[in-house]
Amino acid sequence: LHYCFIIKEPVWQEENIMGKLRKINSRTDEKWFEIVGESCPICGSQGWGLINEGQNKAICMRKRNEGDRVMNGWLYFLDESANLSVKEAVEYVGEKIQTNNVLHKVYSLVKDTIGITDADKQHLKTVRGLTEEQIALRGYFSTDIDSLKKQVVGKSTVWEKLFEKNGLPKDAWKGVPGFYLDTKHECPVFETKPGIAIPCRNQFGQIIRLQLRVDESYIKVWAEANKSQYRVTVTKSGSQWSYKVTDIKEMETVAEGQTDKKEVQLDNLGVSFKIKTSPKYLFVSSVKNPKGTAATSELHYAFSDDILAKACFDENGFGKVNLFNLVSTKNVLLTEGLLKSDIIISKMNEGSLSKLKTQVVVAIAGVNVWSKARYNLVKSNVKTLFSAFDQDFVENDAVLYNMRDMIADFKKHSIPTFAITWEIGKGLDDCLLSDVPDSDRGYNLYQY
């Protein structure tokens, strides 16, 4: 491996990171910790950063160096002056995750019990272009505050009796991300942030994880300034950000305005700041709660409606049909984001993209984890791969480099790989949902 970038002046401090590290299963001899709620010491962005127990190495998923990839990122040495300590970091272990058949049965009961609100259904129909039938077929449900009320019966919850009624042990909730033990009432509860739950399905159509589209009112927004003299407050204002800069020494507002950029430079004050937001999409987890379970990202297979409708399961939740075997062409489109892939597969066969003759879109949680997709798709004898990542790769080096690495790797496995580009919208789903005629969307196909 090649290592570079010695960090002389770390951008984070010990007091800011204590208790913010989560141990991960790194499959190496070293302990590695995910940086939770703090900035990566290499790129300064939220998430996608790791630090080792020895305090002298970091892995960044965004900023590329000339070394080989390590755990879907690039390895950097940290200078001794970083003086970080992870000895007291919280090592969330959680319950061992359940088997796919149990996960599918439990999550199916959850979606049927909780259901979807009219507001969320309307959003999926009017904004996301899905039909009522597609919403039901794909199994979206709402995790609003009222969903908790549907679980409570007296001083217990519905789950244990419901599990037993459906042939599951009463403690089947153990090992299912999202469930934990309510220690006050000594009963299981399913809880996550308010939003729309999106089932993550495998090749059999089993629901093996849940990804959440967080309600916008629960997305945190903040700003980090380059000078400690100033405090910046930020709020969302339509498609822009409204900001106010306060001089904390003089206790007065020195600048305010609106911007559509996430990095702002105010030359008259010599201050710059970055606007940051908490994740809009996250995999449902309950690892921080008693008897909770950690969530890992998994591939999502978004099959066309006719293929997904053929999914069937036995009484134990095992899939009877490998849906991927029903796909006729074995042409796969790869993108980032579960809901996005569902929308793409529901719309792409209505226009020019129907020429690709694909019946499945595979979604990964982030462009940096394409290696998991490659392993599974090569094993599944995929014939042709089409990548459809957001068009921000033009200005986002992390996306661009990962796309290049992914395409080169698929070529090594003799899988013809094409990149799709378009001119309307950031994501392919945005393009497909636009009012622009199909002939004017500027689709292009590039083979590498």
Side-chain angles (χ1 to χ4, degrees):
L1 298 178
H2 305 283
Y3 309 116
C4 58
F5 289 95
I6 304 300
I7 308 299
K8 294 297 185 183
E9 295 182 6
V11 298
W12 54 349
Q13 300 297 325
E14 180 177 352
E15 60 268 23
N16 291 331
I17 198 163
M18 292 299 292
K20 298 287 187 180
L21 303 178
R22 179 166 61 217
K23 184 182 177 185
I24 66 166
N25 180 13
S26 63
R27 298 180 183 177
T28 69
D29 294 333
E30 251 183 322
K31 284 186 180 180
W32 284 89
F33 295 83
E34 177 187 359
I35 302 166
V36 181
E38 296 294 340
S39 300
C40 169
I42 306 301
C43 69
S45 298
Q46 288 283 310
W48 284 14
L50 304 175
I51 184 173
N52 70 330
E53 185 180 31
Q55 312 170 33
N56 58 356
K57 299 175 190 174
I59 293 175
C60 180
M61 311 296 183
R62 289 184 172 88
K63 191 169 183 178
R64 178 191 178 102
N65 61 29
E66 297 303 317
D68 294 331
R69 291 172 63 87
V70 180
M71 289 190 284
N72 299 315
W74 291 275
L75 186 62
Y76 293 79
F77 277 140
L78 295 173
D79 187 83
E80 289 182 0
S81 62
N83 192 31
L84 302 172
S85 174
V86 299
K87 293 179 181 178
E88 298 178 28
V90 178
E91 295 190 21
Y92 299 112
V93 179
E95 295 287 313
K96 181 181 179 182
I97 199 157
Q98 279 280 14
T99 56
N100 285 348
N101 64 304
V102 174
L103 289 168
H104 175 72
K105 284 203 70 172
V106 171
Y107 280 143
S108 295
L109 291 170
V110 171
K111 72 177 180 64
D112 292 342
T113 301
I114 294 178
I116 186 168
T117 64
D118 290 338
D120 285 342
K121 185 183 292 186
Q122 192 64 21
H123 170 83
L124 292 171
K125 290 168 67 175
T126 58
V127 179
R128 303 293 176 164
L130 298 171
T131 66
E132 187 118 8
E133 293 74 20
Q134 288 171 330
I135 293 170
L137 176 65
R138 301 194 180 276
Y140 308 113
F141 64 95
S142 301
T143 58
D144 61 339
I145 301 300
D146 289 336
S147 67
L148 277 174
K149 299 177 183 177
K150 298 177 182 179
Q151 303 177 39
V152 178
V153 179
K155 294 185 177 181
S156 63
T157 57
V158 302
W159 302 118
E160 292 175 314
K161 289 183 179 179
L162 190 59
F163 295 155
E164 289 185 313
K165 182 180 177 181
N166 286 272
L168 289 165
K170 63 185 298 184
D171 64 348
W173 59 272
K174 292 182 179 178
V176 179
F179 276 94
Y180 66 92
L181 183 68
D182 182 335
T183 53
K184 182 178 180 179
H185 299 101
E186 289 297 316
C187 60
V189 172
F190 176 85
E191 186 180 11
T192 185
K193 293 181 179 179
I196 300 176
I198 307 158
C200 174
R201 297 181 183 269
N202 63 10
Q203 291 177 308
F204 289 86
Q206 292 169 306
I207 304 174
I208 57 172
R209 298 290 188 278
L210 293 175
Q211 191 180 61
L212 189 69
R213 179 190 180 273
V214 181
D215 187 291
E216 288 189 3
S217 61
Y218 283 82
I219 296 176
K220 296 179 180 179
V221 181
W222 70 98
E224 293 181 357
N226 66 329
K227 291 186 176 181
S228 58
Q229 179 183 349
Y230 299 100
R231 182 177 69 246
V232 184
T233 56
V234 184
T235 57
K236 188 72 172 176
S237 178
S239 60
Q240 293 191 316
W241 306 98
S242 294
Y243 64 86
K244 180 184 291 187
V245 182
T246 303
D247 186 324
I248 58 177
K249 292 183 178 179
E250 303 296 331
M251 293 303 295
E252 63 179 14
T253 300
V254 293
E256 56 186 320
Q258 289 190 326
T259 179
D260 57 359
K261 306 294 183 183
K262 284 199 170 184
E263 294 189 23
V264 179
Q265 175 73 44
L266 301 177
D267 294 329
N268 59 322
L269 296 174
V271 62
S272 62
F273 59 89
K274 293 182 179 181
I275 300 173
K276 300 188 176 183
T277 60
S278 58
K280 188 173 185 178
Y281 290 90
L282 52 85
F283 275 87
V284 172
S285 172
S286 51
V287 69
K288 295 183 180 180
N289 297 316
K291 298 293 182 179
T293 304
T296 56
S297 64
E298 294 292 334
L299 297 184
H300 170 58
Y301 289 79
F303 292 100
S304 57
D305 294 350
D306 58 326
I307 296 291
L308 181 57
K310 295 176 182 177
C312 54
F313 313 95
D314 66 16
E315 60 182 9
N316 295 313
F318 288 101
K320 292 183 177 181
V321 180
N322 187 332
L323 300 180
F324 199 82
N325 291 338
L326 303 182
V327 173
S328 58
T329 63
K330 298 296 187 291
N331 294 340
V332 172
L333 188 144
L334 185 67
T335 191
E336 179 184 1
L338 276 62
L339 181 57
K340 181 179 297 184
S341 66
D342 286 350
I343 295 169
I344 291 172
I345 195 61
S346 70
K347 297 293 180 183
M348 66 177 297
N349 290 320
E350 298 175 0
S352 302
L353 295 183
S354 63
K355 298 176 183 178
L356 303 182
K357 297 181 179 179
T358 181
Q359 294 171 288
V360 58
V361 177
V362 174
I364 53 180
V367 68
N368 62 306
V369 293
W370 57 261
S371 57
K372 180 181 289 188
R374 187 261 299 149
Y375 174 81
N376 283 271
L377 295 178
V378 168
K379 190 170 64 173
S380 300
N381 296 315
V382 166
K383 300 304 180 186
T384 307
L385 182 79
F386 301 98
S387 71
F389 294 110
D390 286 358
Q391 298 298 278
D392 63 351
F393 70 82
V394 174
E395 54 191 34
N396 189 326
D397 288 344
V399 177
L400 177 62
Y401 291 140
N402 275 290
M403 277 183 59
R404 288 177 175 174
D405 291 345
M406 180 196 73
I407 290 170
D409 197 66
F410 272 100
K411 285 181 66 176
K412 288 180 183 178
H413 291 83
S414 302
I415 297 177
T417 303
F418 297 81
I420 306 173
T421 62
W422 51 92
E423 296 179 2
I424 306 298
K426 180 182 176 183
L428 184 54
D429 56 328
D430 301 324
C431 184
L432 289 167
L433 292 172
S434 71
D435 295 329
V436 176
D438 183 80
S439 58
D440 295 334
R441 293 176 180 175
Y443 294 121
N444 282 295
L445 202 61
Y446 301 93
Q447 184 173 19
Y448 294 89

